[in-house]
């Protein structure tokens, strides 16, 4: 894909230096920080970040915007999101290209991420007419009991580099139709994507005479923005995507003030490959899951637990497939794996491989740094396949890079136990053509993950289902199903239309 960076920035309303704070107006009085493309290590543009004072002003504005926005009928709020989805359709190519440029994703994944934003907008539009409560049978004569839902307030969104725009959309589209305003702290690695997204949202708000501060933005570091946001009683919900360590810190701070958290943290996802599996299907599913986004998805396939009878055949197929993966500039057609996000991630991958070897593991393919003119910036590697055992310490850790551990099993109970033995619990899968195996995997004694798939891989979740996981993944759920309830406050209502005052449980008083 031939692309002029300057033309792309201009199309998206970006400049050489951009204000990183939006609270109805664009500003920023903190340090100017460059955005560096992992493709070549060069500066794309720069962003003037937020100070603590900028953050304070943005929260105040988001609060003010919420006060009016919550009074707008939900279907009217949905109409705004419908228009936002259409605006994303019009800029899908450009915004997707910026995702590739700033996050290092291949073209298909950059475009696909914007499509996720469009899809969740469509979902939210329908949801805006379905914010249902319940009517509950009362035990008291001539009483009606019901449940209703009200807007929650300002929602804080903290997102990671690997999905620089979709995660914000998952949260903000639902929050908006639920009547909330949002304030966004994006990853410092992908600040331009955030600014471009908010500029699109701003245009839609202004066209509808809506205060655009319902979609506020504060680009800043942990001290100026992250910690104040976690500790801010004016923000009843913090939705945070990132590492387990980051999530633990945020959860402690938010819960100390009795706030709510929605955490989407680490994943150490496994695929069980049974003797009856379709190996062609399994190989394709594993390849995308392990190599997609250069192994930098929370749903990346990191462990293969394969039956000993087919281990050699599956390994041979995987190595052959890995050797054919085109690695290089993600903006070029045909590339299937781009760079890692930064140099520390490359170092972390090399360290993990060294630890694997020290524990007795064996690299079957890949894991090398790539150099030369085709691989500028020092962020390119070959995806790695390694033979390991389920108890290795490194196997229980999430290395955010393309390392795939192959582990053999003899019986399905062991395979499920090994899959569940890691601290994380996001996504899981089994490839099998045996009904009993698939049903056991999906049963209460099967996978302990928030996502469990049969004959598809661990990556590629649709927006219609609740997305999230258990254990150190954080327990949060975003996107579809009834996740909208997270962004609202529940209220139980009892109406007495009798002339007496009976008490519940048959209590007599007085």
């Amino acid at each position: 894909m031939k692309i002029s960076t300057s033309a792309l920035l201009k199309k998206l309303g970006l400049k050489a230096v951009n204000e990183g704070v939006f609270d109805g107006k664009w500003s920023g009085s903190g340090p100017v920080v460059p955005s560096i493309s992992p493709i070549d290590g060069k500066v794309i543009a720069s962003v003037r970040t937020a100070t603590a004072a900028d953050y304070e002003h943005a929260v105040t504005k988001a609060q003010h915007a919420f006060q009016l926005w919550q009074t707008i009928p939900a279907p009217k709020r949905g109409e705004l999101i419908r228009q936002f989805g259409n605006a994303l359709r019009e800029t899908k190519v450009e915004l997707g290209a910026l995702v590739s440029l700033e996050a290092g994703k291949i073209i298909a994944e950059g475009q696909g991420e914007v499509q996720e934003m469009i899809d969740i907008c469509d979902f939210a539009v329908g949801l805006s007419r379905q914010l249902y409560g319940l009517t509950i049978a009362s035990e008291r004569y001539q009483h009606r009991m019901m449940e209703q839902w009200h807007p929650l307030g300002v929602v804080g969104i903290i997102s990671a580099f690997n999905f620089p725009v979709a995660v914000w959309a998952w949260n903000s589209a639902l929050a908006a139709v639920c009547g909330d305003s949002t304030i966004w702290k994006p990853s410092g690695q992908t600040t331009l994507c955030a600014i471009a997204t908010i500029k699109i949202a701003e245009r839609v708000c202004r066209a509808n005479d809506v205060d655009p501060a319902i979609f506020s933005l504060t680009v800043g570091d942990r001290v100026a923005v992250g910690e104040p946001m976690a500790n801010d009683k004016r923000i009843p919900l913090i939705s945070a995507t990132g590492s387990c360590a980051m999530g633990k810190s945020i959860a402690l701070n938010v819960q100390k003030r009795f706030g709510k958290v929605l955490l989407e943290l680490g994943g150490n996802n496994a695929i069980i490959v049974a003797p009856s599996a379709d190996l062609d299907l399994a190989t394709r599913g594993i390849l995308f899951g392990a190599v997609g986004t250069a192994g930098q998805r929370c749903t990346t396939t990191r462990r293969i637990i394969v039956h000993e009878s087919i281990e050699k055949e599956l390994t041979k197929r995987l190595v052959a497939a890995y050797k054919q993966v085109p690695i290089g500039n993600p903006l070029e057609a045909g590339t299937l794996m781009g760079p890692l996000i930064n140099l520390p991630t490359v170092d972390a991958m090399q360290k993990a491989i060294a630890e694997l070897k020290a524990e007795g593991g064996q690299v079957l393919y890949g894991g090398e740094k790539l150099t030369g003119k085709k691989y500028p910036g020092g962020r390119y590697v070959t995806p790695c396949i390694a033979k390991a055992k389920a108890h290795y310490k490194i196997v229980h850790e999430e290395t955010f890079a393309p390392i795939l551990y192959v582990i053999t099993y003899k019986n399905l109970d062991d395979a499920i136990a090994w899959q569940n033995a890691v601290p994380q619990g996001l996504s899981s899968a089994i490839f099998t053509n045996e009904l009993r195996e698939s049903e056991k995997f999906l049963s209460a004694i099967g996978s302990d993950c928030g996502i469990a798939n049969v004959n598809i891989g661990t990556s590629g979740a649709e927006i219609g289902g609740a997305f999230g996981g258990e254990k150190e993944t954080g327990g949060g759920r975003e996107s579809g199903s009834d996740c909208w309830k997270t962004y609202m406050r529940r209220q139980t209502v009892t109406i007495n239309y009798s002339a007496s005052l009976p008490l519940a449980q048959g209590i007599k008083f007085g």
Side-chain angles (χ1 to χ4, degrees):
M1 180 181 182
K2 292 184 179 179
I3 185 168
S4 163
T5 299
S6 59
L8 175 65
L9 297 181
K10 184 177 181 181
K11 177 75 174 180
L12 293 170
L14 300 173
K15 304 171 290 186
V17 179
N18 302 273
E19 294 85 3
V21 178
F22 182 73
D23 54 16
K25 296 180 180 178
W26 289 96
S27 63
S29 52
V32 175
V33 177
S35 173
I36 298 172
S37 174
I39 296 174
D40 54 13
K42 295 181 179 178
V43 174
I44 306 168
S46 296
V47 176
R48 187 172 296 282
T49 58
T51 61
D54 292 329
Y55 165 79
E56 177 64 28
H57 193 263
V59 175
T60 300
K61 289 290 187 179
Q63 267 194 310
H64 182 267
F66 164 70
Q67 295 301 326
L68 179 59
W69 183 241
Q70 68 174 330
T71 68
I72 304 299
K76 298 293 185 183
R77 301 193 295 251
E79 170 59 17
L80 183 85
I81 296 301
R82 186 191 69 81
Q83 293 181 32
F84 179 58
N86 284 342
L88 290 171
R89 286 179 171 91
E90 294 169 2
T91 52
K92 177 180 174 179
V93 171
E94 293 79 11
L95 187 56
L98 182 61
V99 169
S100 294
L101 183 64
E102 196 172 30
K105 290 188 171 186
I106 62 173
I107 298 168
E109 289 186 310
Q111 301 295 311
E113 180 164 351
V114 181
Q115 186 62 49
E116 277 194 55
M117 301 174 76
I118 295 167
D119 291 345
I120 197 63
C121 285
D122 288 348
F123 180 91
V125 172
L127 177 65
S128 69
R129 294 180 181 269
Q130 300 180 75
L131 300 175
Y132 299 140
L134 298 171
T135 299
I136 305 163
S138 174
E139 67 181 65
R140 289 171 282 187
Y141 291 100
Q142 297 185 346
H143 281 61
R144 176 162 62 89
M145 187 160 56
M146 59 183 283
E147 178 183 276
Q148 61 184 6
W149 297 84
H150 293 301
L152 185 63
V154 180
V155 175
I157 302 171
I158 300 173
S159 63
F161 78 87
N162 57 335
F163 281 87
V165 291
V167 167
W168 172 83
W170 287 1
N171 284 276
S172 61
L174 296 192
V177 298
C178 288
D180 303 326
S181 62
T182 58
I183 183 165
W184 183 14
K185 179 191 180 301
S187 165
Q189 310 273 6
T190 49
T191 54
L192 298 178
C193 288
I195 293 170
T197 299
I198 295 299
K199 283 183 178 291
I200 297 169
E202 179 192 6
R203 290 198 298 272
V204 175
C205 287
R206 294 199 187 284
N208 287 271
D209 198 26
V210 169
D211 186 345
I214 61 170
F215 300 118
S216 294
L217 174 70
T218 49
V219 174
D221 61 18
R222 176 177 57 84
V223 175
V225 177
E227 289 180 354
M229 184 180 286
N231 289 299
D232 199 328
K233 290 184 178 181
R234 296 167 297 179
I235 303 179
L237 170 65
I238 297 288
S239 176
T241 302
S243 69
C244 294
M246 179 272 286
K248 288 177 182 177
S249 175
I250 288 174
L252 286 171
N253 287 324
V254 174
Q255 290 176 352
K256 277 193 295 187
R257 61 176 175 85
F258 297 103
K260 296 168 63 177
V261 288
L262 192 167
L263 299 176
E264 296 288 356
L265 309 175
N268 192 347
N269 315 295
I271 294 178
I272 297 172
V273 186
S276 66
D278 180 332
L279 291 187
D280 287 338
L281 199 65
T283 301
R284 295 201 300 272
I286 293 166
L287 184 67
F288 173 71
V291 175
T293 321
Q296 298 171 114
R297 288 175 176 239
C298 52
T299 54
T300 289
T301 305
R302 307 205 181 278
R303 297 175 292 144
I304 297 299
I305 304 173
V306 56
H307 193 270
E308 59 183 8
S309 65
I310 57 171
E311 183 262 337
K312 287 185 179 179
E313 177 62 22
L314 179 64
T315 300
K316 183 178 75 172
R317 289 173 181 240
L318 286 172
V319 170
Y322 270 48
K323 288 180 178 179
Q324 297 177 53
V325 173
I327 303 168
N329 188 329
L331 292 171
E332 293 180 358
T335 299
L336 288 184
M337 183 174 139
L340 298 182
I341 189 65
N342 53 31
L343 297 176
T345 303
V346 176
D347 293 339
M349 179 178 177
Q350 299 307 309
K351 181 181 178 183
I353 292 172
E355 290 181 16
L356 168 81
K357 292 177 179 177
E359 291 192 76
Q362 176 189 0
V363 172
L364 302 176
Y365 176 79
E368 305 94 352
K369 296 181 184 179
L370 293 172
T371 58
K373 290 184 178 180
K374 186 180 178 183
Y375 309 108
R379 295 165 171 82
Y380 293 86
V381 297
T382 54
C384 179
I385 304 174
K387 197 164 186 177
K389 293 186 178 179
H391 68 270
Y392 286 178
K393 182 176 179 291
I394 191 63
V395 169
H396 288 242
E397 298 175 3
E398 181 192 30
T399 303
F400 221 58
I403 304 176
L404 180 67
Y405 302 114
V406 178
I407 300 160
T408 58
Y409 78 92
K410 290 184 178 182
N411 66 76
L412 184 61
D413 288 343
D414 285 342
I416 292 173
W418 293 343
Q419 178 204 276
N420 294 344
V422 299
Q424 310 84 359
L426 178 53
S427 187
S428 60
I430 187 171
F431 279 84
T432 179
N433 285 323
E434 292 289 340
L435 177 65
R436 289 177 177 174
E437 289 184 327
S438 63
E439 289 298 321
K440 187 170 193 176
F441 177 77
L442 297 175
S443 74
I445 59 171
S447 169
D448 67 355
C449 296
I451 299 170
N453 297 329
V454 176
N455 292 331
I456 61 171
T458 58
S459 284
E462 299 179 36
I463 59 92
F467 180 88
E470 302 300 321
K471 301 186 296 188
E472 289 192 8
T473 300
R477 294 296 186 275
E478 290 175 320
S479 193
S481 186
D482 64 348
C483 294
W484 61 271
K485 293 180 179 179
T486 305
Y487 305 92
M488 304 196 81
R489 58 182 177 90
R490 186 196 309 251
Q491 188 175 73
T492 301
V493 177
T494 303
I495 301 168
N496 176 9
Y497 56 94
S498 75
S500 59
L501 194 64
L503 301 177
Q505 293 85 47
I507 295 173
K508 303 294 184 183
F509 188 80

